[in-house]
Amino acid sequence: MRSYLPAFACKAPASLDEALVTLASEPGKWTPLAGGTDLMVLFESGKLPPGHFLSLWKLPELRGIEVTDDAITLGALTTYAEVREHATVAFELPMLAAAARESGAIAIQGRGTLGGNIMNASPAADSPPALVAYDAEIELVRASGARWVRYRDFHTGYKVMDRAPDEILRRIRIPRRDPGQHWVHFYRKVGTRRFQAITKVGIAAIGRVEGGVARDVRVAFTSVAPTVLAAARTEAALEGQAFGPGLVAAARAATRADVTPIDDIRSTERYRHQVAENLADSFVHALFAQKA
Amino acid sequence: MGRTVGTSAPRKEGVDKVTGAARYVDDLVMDGMIHGVTVRSRVAHGRITGIRFDPGFPWDEIVVVTAADIPGRNMVTMIEEDQPFLAADLIKHPEEPVVLLAHADRDLVIEAAKHVHIEVEELPAIFSIDDGLAADVRLFKDDNVLKRFLIEKGDVDAAFAEPGLVVVEGEYETGAQEQLYLEAMGMIAVAAPGKGVTVWGSLQCPYYVHKALKPLFGLGDGEVRVIQAVTGGGFGGKEEYPSLIAGHAALLSWKAGGVPVKVIYDRAEDMVATTKRHPSRTRIRTAVKPDGELVAMDVVFDIDGGAYATLSAVVLSRGAIHAAGPYRCPNSRIHARAVATNHPPHGAFRGFGAPQSCFAYERHMERVAEAVGLSSVAIRRKNLLGPGDLTATSQVVEDQIDFPALLDQALEASDFEAKRAAFAKHNADPASHTRKGIGVATFYHGGGFTGSGEVHLASVVGVEALRGGRARVLAASTEIGQGTNTIFSQIASDALGVPYEWVEVAAPDTGRVPNSGPTVASRTCMVVGKLVQDAAGAVVTTLRKAGLLGEEHTPEQLAAAVDSYLERFGELRTFSQYKPPAGIVWDDKTYRGAAYAAYGWAAYVAEVEVDLVTYEPHLRGFWAVQDIGTVINPLLAAGQVEGGVTQAIGWALFEEVRWREGRMINNQLTNYIIPTAADVPPIHVAFAPVPFAHGPSGAKGVGELPMDGPAPAIVNAIEDALGIDVRRVPALPEVVMEAVLAKRAAAGEVQHV
């Protein structure tokens, strides 16, 4: 362990109210800590700046998966293991289940949380693209009240979020889809190896075909922009369109315009561009149940 | 009683390891022990102008060691004497140890290291083989060539001038690779004037550490003692660097007045600072008759040695000796150079240079096949070495190997020919999202030290007979997970005629065991195992000569004989020393003759399916057929092959050391990517044993062979799948993509990128 433990302070409030009061009384002083699967790696390697950390792990208000007629609501502390094990989530939100299954090792899945995955704001995170594609909303709470934000709009820049220093992410709400409609869920994580890898480029996309044209298309990418990317041009290129070589080419071109990848330690800008396009291409074929 | 050689006797230390009873160096705690850390340079090349300690830190509580505190010579004893234990003036790579700190509070001393600043006047630095050879920056003598070999056979220039030959040229590159043993390195030392130096640690070669510590402190043989703790893997990585860590821990203890000092590297320090596989570049020019018969090979084999000579000369030697491949070729010239750069020194890693040159020649054979219109199999079958043929060092092949039959066994096991045909059909289907391929590599690997190396080592092994017929093997050869304890016990128990359970292997301790040489070079079974057999056999002979044992004996009779002997003489220890097999002749000056007493021979097949969306090559199957002589322990031997193949899969497809100004920047397990079980296909291992007359019960070596062939077999399979000619490893998806796009662009298809 390379960090100097005496330079760090950590407090573990027993209730959400206590946590919110702490954040409100000393705004910006306390950094929320959920499962720790990101922060502890930095801590171990000596790369976490010393400071004050507020452990949310024991807050019951941030736990649990609730299924109602029109939404599935997941507490911010819902772990990947809980996502994987939940039958309704697995059935209705297969891309979220896939993200949970492909994040880290079993031990990490027992500790890593959806809320942490969002608030760590890594552009390579695996659950955010699924949450964007599923039109998730997130609830932010502070001592003085709560608000809901469309998740698609939450990340505004690299590690920049629509969050005040005294706010905590409480839960994530995903609207349920009409079971009478046939939805195509398309999730693909391309990592540096098959499992236990950080994503080099990934896609979560959903849509349906009605009357021969694509409807309600959502496309999100990971690791190709400073934040999880809602691929608006790709969505627009597909919405209301019928299958054909022209559509595939249009989707590829739109994706090329949507993404802004870089070279880094894991991959190259060229690879990410090309594979993002290929994934968009694969999604179009899957959406219309066409072979490539 | 049955023989244990040839059976999968259970691993001697297996229970201790899986129950957690085994004590690795970081598990050892001594009274008053304090913790040491290393402060390193942060620039690749420069001169130290000062060392600054931040004010306001309790420096008076901390043990501080610099080069000025060294009581003896500040030089790590290796082949060349050029690497200091602690840099005093010149910095030659970015992880050079400069200052050592120790304190009882480990957290505090780690924090203290952040408050030491090494001030350096920077000099220009070089990081490539070509920049090293250009020698605008001088790091080693006049030309930065740490070592050079020329191995010649026949008349290469005249052969290339012959009419009617097809000439094929190629250039191939391989990257650095981290050994990634499970246990990062560490040492504990107790050292004080008048009391000598004792170290316990994670290491492969106790006597290398012993040899390095003596001059550091100006001490004699008996004043330095090196004890191997249970060691969690080595793969060559713990051949040489442990000498530095042992020296550092001992210097701290010496300065601290003899309190025990523990120095444990975390994974990040181990990866960034310690040795890796040498990056390489190989240029091959081949002349071949139109029917595929090799006529001449001209090879230039260069490796990046890093900042100090360390083991580069011998890595280069092994890589060069194997560089012409296991092929009959009357004219060959291998020019090999190890080049100095400002990288941390590269070092030993399973295969020791041979995987690098094997990747080159086995990729190149595909080019040769293509040039003369033969298949991958046909070009190899036509040229494979056999008994009586000459290797590149003009050694007559003595092994009674039927190499074409061994190749056939691999082809049949993998259904090679049928798959090539079926995959061609699959690949022609435009609706397919994947491309499939299958590739082969044929190769060999010498066992033991090169040339006269074993004669110079003159290794010794002892066997001590104990009451009740029990016996203890005395050797400095280390158990590093590969099975030394188990196979030595098997060999000794058979030679003694007692059950396997009656034999144990003494923990390597230079105060108690003779020098059986380093645990490297696939020599532990073939060379040291033979000494174990002979020393154990000498116990029986001694008992017979004393009239205590007949020509045949049961274990109980042996036990009674030993008891009588011990009663009469007090102890019974026998020793055996290495003697070269008759007829082994090697010339160190010309690099000609018998480079190795015996070779392992192998044919490996890889099957791959490449995803056309992501360009990821997924391995679908792997077949490894080899002759390693008699197999002492089939389970352990298969484990060695599976492990070696897996490590080679990592090198071939995943493991890329990313450098910035001479430093590895991906020195974490999150960004240095090794394959997991999900990335490794079923590995089908088969042995085709041809017993070696001078090995224990006919055994040869196995450790390194399986590292050599997989990379070219895999890349050959990728070529079969996609028709692309990848000439470097790792063949990352990014590399595959670029080759695919280039091919499409060349074919006139629109390229988007």
Tab-separated table of all heavy atoms in Angstrom, chain A residues 1-2 4 47 188 190 192-195 200 256 265-268 270-271 274-275 278-279 282 292, chain B residues 107 110-111 114 266 269 431 433 611 613-615 654 658 666 668 673-674 679 734 737-738 753:
chain	number	residue	atom	x	y	z
A	1	MET	N	0.839	-1.197	0.000
A	1	MET	CA	0.000	0.000	0.000
A	1	MET	C	0.876	1.249	0.000
A	1	MET	O	1.712	1.421	0.859
A	1	MET	CB	-0.882	-0.020	1.241
A	1	MET	CG	-1.883	1.078	1.260
A	1	MET	SD	-2.776	1.086	2.812
A	1	MET	CE	-1.514	1.602	3.960
A	2	ARG	N	0.668	2.104	-0.962
A	2	ARG	CA	1.573	3.245	-1.119
A	2	ARG	C	1.032	4.541	-0.527
A	2	ARG	O	1.768	5.514	-0.429
A	2	ARG	CB	1.865	3.456	-2.594
A	2	ARG	CG	2.672	2.304	-3.176
A	2	ARG	CD	3.139	2.604	-4.562
A	2	ARG	NE	4.052	1.572	-5.008
A	2	ARG	CZ	4.852	1.705	-6.060
A	2	ARG	NH1	4.829	2.797	-6.767
A	2	ARG	NH2	5.652	0.723	-6.393
A	4	TYR	N	-0.372	7.000	2.450
A	4	TYR	CA	-0.020	7.122	3.867
A	4	TYR	C	-1.310	7.259	4.662
A	4	TYR	O	-1.965	8.307	4.644
A	4	TYR	CB	0.880	8.345	4.036
A	4	TYR	CG	1.458	8.486	5.421
A	4	TYR	CD1	2.096	7.410	6.037
A	4	TYR	CD2	1.390	9.690	6.100
A	4	TYR	CE1	2.632	7.535	7.302
A	4	TYR	CE2	1.937	9.827	7.371
A	4	TYR	CZ	2.560	8.740	7.972
A	4	TYR	OH	3.090	8.861	9.216
A	47	LYS	N	-2.080	6.851	-5.553
A	47	LYS	CA	-2.516	7.902	-6.483
A	47	LYS	C	-3.767	8.636	-6.007
A	47	LYS	O	-4.265	9.515	-6.708
A	47	LYS	CB	-2.768	7.288	-7.867
A	47	LYS	CG	-1.477	6.837	-8.542
A	47	LYS	CD	-1.738	6.090	-9.836
A	47	LYS	CE	-0.429	5.569	-10.425
A	47	LYS	NZ	-0.652	4.478	-11.377
A	188	ARG	N	-22.428	-4.853	-26.238
A	188	ARG	CA	-21.159	-5.502	-26.544
A	188	ARG	C	-20.036	-4.716	-25.881
A	188	ARG	O	-19.903	-3.511	-26.101
A	188	ARG	CB	-20.961	-5.534	-28.075
A	188	ARG	CG	-19.708	-6.253	-28.536
A	188	ARG	CD	-19.954	-7.732	-28.774
A	188	ARG	NE	-18.686	-8.430	-28.912
A	188	ARG	CZ	-18.154	-8.819	-30.071
A	188	ARG	NH1	-18.803	-8.611	-31.193
A	188	ARG	NH2	-16.986	-9.443	-30.103
A	190	VAL	N	-16.050	-4.496	-25.611
A	190	VAL	CA	-14.791	-4.931	-26.198
A	190	VAL	C	-13.683	-4.494	-25.236
A	190	VAL	O	-13.373	-3.314	-25.119
A	190	VAL	CB	-14.570	-4.315	-27.599
A	190	VAL	CG1	-13.280	-4.850	-28.205
A	190	VAL	CG2	-15.759	-4.608	-28.505
A	192	THR	N	-9.801	-5.472	-23.101
A	192	THR	CA	-8.450	-5.879	-23.471
A	192	THR	C	-8.269	-7.392	-23.375
A	192	THR	O	-7.237	-7.930	-23.753
A	192	THR	CB	-7.426	-5.197	-22.554
A	192	THR	OG1	-7.879	-5.348	-21.202
A	192	THR	CG2	-7.322	-3.716	-22.862
A	193	ARG	N	-9.262	-8.073	-22.818
A	193	ARG	CA	-9.316	-9.537	-22.843
A	193	ARG	C	-10.773	-9.899	-22.591
A	193	ARG	O	-11.615	-9.032	-22.441
A	193	ARG	CB	-8.360	-10.156	-21.816
A	193	ARG	CG	-8.713	-9.821	-20.397
A	193	ARG	CD	-7.687	-10.351	-19.384
A	193	ARG	NE	-7.842	-9.613	-18.145
A	193	ARG	CZ	-6.862	-9.383	-17.264
A	193	ARG	NH1	-5.664	-9.865	-17.470
A	193	ARG	NH2	-7.094	-8.687	-16.175
A	194	ARG	N	-11.068	-11.186	-22.503
A	194	ARG	CA	-12.457	-11.626	-22.491
A	194	ARG	C	-13.199	-11.149	-21.229
A	194	ARG	O	-14.331	-10.689	-21.298
A	194	ARG	CB	-12.485	-13.158	-22.593
A	194	ARG	CG	-13.854	-13.760	-22.768
A	194	ARG	CD	-14.452	-13.447	-24.132
A	194	ARG	NE	-15.864	-13.810	-24.165
A	194	ARG	CZ	-16.846	-13.037	-23.746
A	194	ARG	NH1	-16.573	-11.837	-23.254
A	194	ARG	NH2	-18.089	-13.442	-23.812
A	195	PHE	N	-12.598	-11.303	-20.070
A	195	PHE	CA	-13.225	-10.877	-18.814
A	195	PHE	C	-12.192	-10.128	-17.973
A	195	PHE	O	-11.008	-10.185	-18.248
A	195	PHE	CB	-13.765	-12.072	-18.010
A	195	PHE	CG	-15.000	-12.670	-18.612
A	195	PHE	CD1	-14.930	-13.821	-19.382
A	195	PHE	CD2	-16.244	-12.069	-18.440
A	195	PHE	CE1	-16.070	-14.366	-19.949
A	195	PHE	CE2	-17.384	-12.605	-19.000
A	195	PHE	CZ	-17.297	-13.756	-19.764
A	200	LYS	N	-12.280	-1.070	-24.017
A	200	LYS	CA	-11.604	-0.254	-25.035
A	200	LYS	C	-12.631	0.476	-25.874
A	200	LYS	O	-12.424	1.601	-26.313
A	200	LYS	CB	-10.756	-1.148	-25.953
A	200	LYS	CG	-9.618	-1.832	-25.240
A	200	LYS	CD	-8.586	-2.383	-26.205
A	200	LYS	CE	-9.126	-3.562	-26.998
A	200	LYS	NZ	-8.032	-4.270	-27.724
A	256	ARG	N	-19.293	7.552	-36.689
A	256	ARG	CA	-17.968	8.166	-36.868
A	256	ARG	C	-17.996	9.630	-36.427
A	256	ARG	O	-17.042	10.122	-35.808
A	256	ARG	CB	-17.536	8.048	-38.334
A	256	ARG	CG	-16.260	8.801	-38.685
A	256	ARG	CD	-15.517	8.151	-39.832
A	256	ARG	NE	-15.028	6.831	-39.436
A	256	ARG	CZ	-13.836	6.607	-38.876
A	256	ARG	NH1	-13.011	7.616	-38.637
A	256	ARG	NH2	-13.468	5.399	-38.538
A	265	ILE	N	-3.492	4.209	-23.036
A	265	ILE	CA	-2.696	3.050	-22.631
A	265	ILE	C	-3.352	1.736	-23.069
A	265	ILE	O	-2.692	0.709	-23.155
A	265	ILE	CB	-2.487	3.096	-21.101
A	265	ILE	CG1	-1.276	2.270	-20.680
A	265	ILE	CG2	-3.733	2.664	-20.352
A	265	ILE	CD1	-0.810	2.571	-19.273
A	266	ARG	N	-4.653	1.768	-23.346
A	266	ARG	CA	-5.351	0.522	-23.665
A	266	ARG	C	-5.598	0.295	-25.148
A	266	ARG	O	-5.762	-0.841	-25.577
A	266	ARG	CB	-6.696	0.471	-22.927
A	266	ARG	CG	-6.560	0.029	-21.498
A	266	ARG	CD	-7.890	-0.066	-20.810
A	266	ARG	NE	-8.365	1.238	-20.401
A	266	ARG	CZ	-7.978	1.865	-19.297
A	266	ARG	NH1	-7.109	1.294	-18.495
A	266	ARG	NH2	-8.442	3.054	-19.006
A	267	SER	N	-5.694	1.372	-25.934
A	267	SER	CA	-6.001	1.162	-27.341
A	267	SER	C	-5.671	2.417	-28.128
A	267	SER	O	-5.057	3.350	-27.613
A	267	SER	CB	-7.474	0.788	-27.514
A	267	SER	OG	-7.730	0.368	-28.843
A	268	THR	N	-6.083	2.405	-29.400
A	268	THR	CA	-5.774	3.547	-30.265
A	268	THR	C	-7.045	4.243	-30.710
A	268	THR	O	-8.133	3.646	-30.731
A	268	THR	CB	-5.021	3.081	-31.526
A	268	THR	OG1	-5.881	2.232	-32.293
A	268	THR	CG2	-3.747	2.322	-31.165
A	270	ARG	N	-7.667	5.061	-33.728
A	270	ARG	CA	-8.104	4.410	-34.975
A	270	ARG	C	-8.914	3.139	-34.691
A	270	ARG	O	-9.923	2.884	-35.346
A	270	ARG	CB	-6.879	4.068	-35.842
A	270	ARG	CG	-6.305	5.264	-36.571
A	270	ARG	CD	-4.935	4.941	-37.183
A	270	ARG	NE	-4.959	3.838	-38.141
A	270	ARG	CZ	-5.302	3.981	-39.423
A	270	ARG	NH1	-5.647	5.164	-39.897
A	270	ARG	NH2	-5.292	2.943	-40.237
A	271	TYR	N	-8.444	2.374	-33.737
A	271	TYR	CA	-9.167	1.140	-33.400
A	271	TYR	C	-10.560	1.475	-32.873
A	271	TYR	O	-11.563	0.881	-33.262
A	271	TYR	CB	-8.372	0.342	-32.369
A	271	TYR	CG	-9.031	-0.962	-31.947
A	271	TYR	CD1	-8.885	-2.113	-32.713
A	271	TYR	CD2	-9.794	-1.042	-30.782
A	271	TYR	CE1	-9.482	-3.310	-32.332
A	271	TYR	CE2	-10.395	-2.230	-30.395
A	271	TYR	CZ	-10.232	-3.366	-31.170
A	271	TYR	OH	-10.836	-4.550	-30.786
A	274	GLN	N	-12.880	2.632	-35.660
A	274	GLN	CA	-13.270	1.541	-36.557
A	274	GLN	C	-14.221	0.568	-35.870
A	274	GLN	O	-15.235	0.168	-36.445
A	274	GLN	CB	-12.008	0.806	-37.033
A	274	GLN	CG	-12.253	-0.300	-38.031
A	274	GLN	CD	-12.701	0.222	-39.381
A	274	GLN	OE1	-12.359	1.333	-39.776
A	274	GLN	NE2	-13.503	-0.577	-40.078
A	275	VAL	N	-13.899	0.217	-34.635
A	275	VAL	CA	-14.732	-0.783	-33.959
A	275	VAL	C	-16.075	-0.176	-33.548
A	275	VAL	O	-17.108	-0.857	-33.619
A	275	VAL	CB	-13.974	-1.401	-32.766
A	275	VAL	CG1	-14.883	-2.313	-31.941
A	275	VAL	CG2	-12.771	-2.186	-33.268
A	278	ASN	N	-18.052	-0.478	-36.559
A	278	ASN	CA	-18.422	-1.883	-36.774
A	278	ASN	C	-19.548	-2.304	-35.837
A	278	ASN	O	-20.449	-3.059	-36.224
A	278	ASN	CB	-17.215	-2.797	-36.550
A	278	ASN	CG	-16.140	-2.640	-37.603
A	278	ASN	OD1	-16.321	-1.914	-38.582
A	278	ASN	ND2	-15.006	-3.306	-37.407
A	279	LEU	N	-19.487	-1.807	-34.595
A	279	LEU	CA	-20.524	-2.170	-33.622
A	279	LEU	C	-21.859	-1.546	-34.021
A	279	LEU	O	-22.919	-2.178	-33.892
A	279	LEU	CB	-20.111	-1.717	-32.217
A	279	LEU	CG	-18.938	-2.486	-31.598
A	279	LEU	CD1	-18.453	-1.802	-30.320
A	279	LEU	CD2	-19.324	-3.942	-31.303
A	282	SER	N	-23.158	-3.679	-36.677
A	282	SER	CA	-23.704	-4.932	-36.121
A	282	SER	C	-25.068	-4.683	-35.482
A	282	SER	O	-25.977	-5.514	-35.589
A	282	SER	CB	-22.759	-5.507	-35.063
A	282	SER	OG	-21.542	-5.866	-35.640
A	292	ALA	N	-25.072	-10.031	-41.353
A	292	ALA	CA	-24.137	-9.025	-41.873
A	292	ALA	C	-23.691	-9.398	-43.280
A	292	ALA	O	-23.612	-10.570	-43.603
A	292	ALA	CB	-22.934	-8.931	-40.952
B	107	ASP	N	4.557	2.133	6.861
B	107	ASP	CA	3.831	3.235	6.225
B	107	ASP	C	4.682	4.502	6.231
B	107	ASP	O	4.731	5.242	5.250
B	107	ASP	CB	2.505	3.516	6.963
B	107	ASP	CG	1.500	2.399	6.739
B	107	ASP	OD1	1.683	1.628	5.777
B	107	ASP	OD2	0.549	2.296	7.534
B	110	ILE	N	7.541	4.337	3.677
B	110	ILE	CA	7.038	4.507	2.304
B	110	ILE	C	6.755	5.989	2.042
B	110	ILE	O	7.068	6.526	0.976
B	110	ILE	CB	5.779	3.640	2.076
B	110	ILE	CG1	6.165	2.152	2.059
B	110	ILE	CG2	5.071	4.021	0.781
B	110	ILE	CD1	4.982	1.189	2.068
B	111	GLU	N	6.188	6.650	3.058
B	111	GLU	CA	5.924	8.086	2.932
B	111	GLU	C	7.247	8.864	2.858
B	111	GLU	O	7.385	9.807	2.067
B	111	GLU	CB	5.078	8.554	4.133
B	111	GLU	CG	4.634	10.000	4.085
B	111	GLU	CD	3.686	10.325	2.942
B	111	GLU	OE1	3.173	9.385	2.292
B	111	GLU	OE2	3.478	11.525	2.682
B	114	LYS	N	8.864	9.473	-0.468
B	114	LYS	CA	8.315	10.544	-1.314
B	114	LYS	C	8.966	11.889	-0.995
B	114	LYS	O	8.782	12.846	-1.730
B	114	LYS	CB	6.799	10.651	-1.109
B	114	LYS	CG	6.024	9.382	-1.487
B	114	LYS	CD	4.558	9.496	-1.073
B	114	LYS	CE	3.847	8.138	-1.188
B	114	LYS	NZ	2.555	8.120	-0.484
B	266	ASP	N	6.182	-4.179	-3.891
B	266	ASP	CA	4.780	-4.395	-4.274
B	266	ASP	C	4.756	-4.675	-5.779
B	266	ASP	O	5.792	-4.627	-6.458
B	266	ASP	CB	3.889	-3.218	-3.842
B	266	ASP	CG	4.188	-1.917	-4.560
B	266	ASP	OD1	5.021	-1.892	-5.493
B	266	ASP	OD2	3.575	-0.894	-4.185
B	269	GLU	N	6.152	-1.883	-8.114
B	269	GLU	CA	7.615	-1.724	-8.101
B	269	GLU	C	8.287	-2.907	-8.793
B	269	GLU	O	9.230	-2.744	-9.568
B	269	GLU	CB	8.127	-1.611	-6.653
B	269	GLU	CG	9.647	-1.388	-6.586
B	269	GLU	CD	10.145	-1.085	-5.175
B	269	GLU	OE1	9.451	-1.450	-4.205
B	269	GLU	OE2	11.224	-0.475	-5.052
B	431	ALA	N	-21.229	-14.030	-45.384
B	431	ALA	CA	-22.120	-13.762	-44.251
B	431	ALA	C	-21.452	-14.050	-42.906
B	431	ALA	O	-22.012	-13.752	-41.865
B	431	ALA	CB	-23.390	-14.604	-44.384
B	433	HIS	N	-19.168	-13.723	-39.672
B	433	HIS	CA	-18.612	-12.626	-38.873
B	433	HIS	C	-17.198	-12.912	-38.403
B	433	HIS	O	-16.605	-12.126	-37.691
B	433	HIS	CB	-19.454	-12.411	-37.604
B	433	HIS	CG	-20.807	-11.890	-37.880
B	433	HIS	ND1	-21.068	-10.550	-37.991
B	433	HIS	CD2	-21.975	-12.526	-38.091
B	433	HIS	CE1	-22.358	-10.382	-38.249
B	433	HIS	NE2	-22.926	-11.559	-38.312
B	611	ASP	N	-12.573	-12.383	-34.768
B	611	ASP	CA	-13.843	-11.663	-34.837
B	611	ASP	C	-13.668	-10.474	-35.791
B	611	ASP	O	-12.807	-9.617	-35.574
B	611	ASP	CB	-14.191	-11.181	-33.420
B	611	ASP	CG	-15.553	-10.524	-33.348
B	611	ASP	OD1	-15.919	-9.789	-34.291
B	611	ASP	OD2	-16.243	-10.734	-32.338
B	613	VAL	N	-15.617	-8.005	-36.286
B	613	VAL	CA	-16.115	-6.740	-35.741
B	613	VAL	C	-15.044	-6.084	-34.862
B	613	VAL	O	-14.851	-4.877	-34.908
B	613	VAL	CB	-17.414	-6.974	-34.935
B	613	VAL	CG1	-17.862	-5.693	-34.239
B	613	VAL	CG2	-18.514	-7.482	-35.868
B	614	THR	N	-14.351	-6.905	-34.093
B	614	THR	CA	-13.403	-6.362	-33.097
B	614	THR	C	-11.947	-6.704	-33.417
B	614	THR	O	-11.058	-6.234	-32.716
B	614	THR	CB	-13.725	-6.931	-31.708
B	614	THR	OG1	-13.513	-8.354	-31.749
B	614	THR	CG2	-15.169	-6.651	-31.321
B	615	TYR	N	-11.724	-7.553	-34.402
B	615	TYR	CA	-10.369	-7.991	-34.798
B	615	TYR	C	-9.666	-8.757	-33.690
B	615	TYR	O	-8.438	-8.876	-33.682
B	615	TYR	CB	-9.511	-6.787	-35.248
B	615	TYR	CG	-10.272	-5.895	-36.194
B	615	TYR	CD1	-10.875	-4.724	-35.742
B	615	TYR	CD2	-10.441	-6.256	-37.529
B	615	TYR	CE1	-11.626	-3.928	-36.598
B	615	TYR	CE2	-11.193	-5.472	-38.389
B	615	TYR	CZ	-11.785	-4.305	-37.909
B	615	TYR	OH	-12.532	-3.525	-38.751
B	654	PHE	N	-1.511	-10.584	-25.942
B	654	PHE	CA	-2.046	-9.637	-24.954
B	654	PHE	C	-1.014	-8.696	-24.333
B	654	PHE	O	-1.324	-7.541	-24.073
B	654	PHE	CB	-2.725	-10.409	-23.807
B	654	PHE	CG	-3.902	-11.220	-24.234
B	654	PHE	CD1	-3.767	-12.566	-24.541
B	654	PHE	CD2	-5.158	-10.638	-24.346
B	654	PHE	CE1	-4.858	-13.323	-24.943
B	654	PHE	CE2	-6.260	-11.385	-24.743
B	654	PHE	CZ	-6.109	-12.738	-25.047
B	658	ARG	N	4.191	-0.977	-22.156
B	658	ARG	CA	4.121	0.377	-22.730
B	658	ARG	C	5.206	1.230	-22.075
B	658	ARG	O	5.247	1.344	-20.848
B	658	ARG	CB	2.759	1.007	-22.458
B	658	ARG	CG	1.595	0.111	-22.832
B	658	ARG	CD	0.931	0.556	-24.104
B	658	ARG	NE	-0.167	-0.353	-24.438
B	658	ARG	CZ	-0.659	-0.492	-25.656
B	658	ARG	NH1	-0.166	0.219	-26.648
B	658	ARG	NH2	-1.645	-1.323	-25.898
B	666	ASN	N	2.568	0.917	-17.827
B	666	ASN	CA	1.409	0.074	-17.481
B	666	ASN	C	1.831	-1.016	-16.482
B	666	ASN	O	1.618	-2.197	-16.695
B	666	ASN	CB	0.768	-0.541	-18.735
B	666	ASN	CG	1.738	-1.339	-19.590
B	666	ASN	OD1	2.933	-1.083	-19.591
B	666	ASN	ND2	1.219	-2.310	-20.315
B	668	GLN	N	0.685	-2.128	-13.769
B	668	GLN	CA	-0.378	-2.575	-12.869
B	668	GLN	C	-1.113	-3.710	-13.565
B	668	GLN	O	-1.153	-3.774	-14.794
B	668	GLN	CB	-1.396	-1.450	-12.634
B	668	GLN	CG	-0.911	-0.314	-11.772
B	668	GLN	CD	-1.975	0.766	-11.703
B	668	GLN	OE1	-2.135	1.541	-12.632
B	668	GLN	NE2	-2.719	0.792	-10.621
B	673	ILE	N	-1.881	-6.615	-19.466
B	673	ILE	CA	-2.949	-7.600	-19.646
B	673	ILE	C	-2.375	-8.983	-19.895
B	673	ILE	O	-1.740	-9.233	-20.925
B	673	ILE	CB	-3.844	-7.189	-20.843
B	673	ILE	CG1	-4.362	-5.762	-20.658
B	673	ILE	CG2	-5.004	-8.175	-20.991
B	673	ILE	CD1	-5.185	-5.535	-19.405
B	674	ILE	N	-2.610	-9.876	-18.938
B	674	ILE	CA	-2.258	-11.288	-19.160
B	674	ILE	C	-3.554	-12.055	-19.408
B	674	ILE	O	-4.622	-11.623	-18.985
B	674	ILE	CB	-1.498	-11.895	-17.962
B	674	ILE	CG1	-2.344	-11.852	-16.690
B	674	ILE	CG2	-0.173	-11.172	-17.757
B	674	ILE	CD1	-1.796	-12.698	-15.577
B	679	ASP	N	-9.489	-16.734	-21.776
B	679	ASP	CA	-8.775	-16.417	-23.015
B	679	ASP	C	-7.926	-17.584	-23.511
B	679	ASP	O	-7.302	-17.484	-24.565
B	679	ASP	CB	-7.851	-15.213	-22.785
B	679	ASP	CG	-8.610	-14.000	-22.297
B	679	ASP	OD1	-9.465	-13.503	-23.048
B	679	ASP	OD2	-8.377	-13.564	-21.155
B	734	GLU	N	-5.513	-4.279	-32.265
B	734	GLU	CA	-5.188	-3.045	-32.994
B	734	GLU	C	-4.228	-3.339	-34.152
B	734	GLU	O	-4.326	-2.736	-35.223
B	734	GLU	CB	-4.555	-2.026	-32.028
B	734	GLU	CG	-5.532	-1.379	-31.044
B	734	GLU	CD	-5.918	-2.268	-29.860
B	734	GLU	OE1	-5.420	-3.417	-29.772
B	734	GLU	OE2	-6.737	-1.821	-29.034
B	737	MET	N	-6.180	-5.235	-36.815
B	737	MET	CA	-7.040	-4.308	-37.550
B	737	MET	C	-6.263	-3.546	-38.612
B	737	MET	O	-6.700	-3.444	-39.762
B	737	MET	CB	-7.691	-3.308	-36.595
B	737	MET	CG	-8.577	-2.306	-37.333
B	737	MET	SD	-8.953	-0.830	-36.349
B	737	MET	CE	-7.431	0.105	-36.552
B	738	GLU	N	-5.102	-3.020	-38.217
B	738	GLU	CA	-4.330	-2.240	-39.185
B	738	GLU	C	-3.950	-3.098	-40.390
B	738	GLU	O	-3.984	-2.633	-41.529
B	738	GLU	CB	-3.077	-1.647	-38.528
B	738	GLU	CG	-3.354	-0.613	-37.427
B	738	GLU	CD	-4.026	0.676	-37.933
B	738	GLU	OE1	-4.120	0.873	-39.169
B	738	GLU	OE2	-4.470	1.474	-37.079
B	753	VAL	N	-10.910	4.652	-42.396
B	753	VAL	CA	-10.091	5.335	-41.388
B	753	VAL	C	-9.037	6.208	-42.069
B	753	VAL	O	-8.392	5.750	-42.995
B	753	VAL	CB	-9.429	4.289	-40.456
B	753	VAL	CG1	-8.494	4.986	-39.485
B	753	VAL	CG2	-10.503	3.533	-39.709
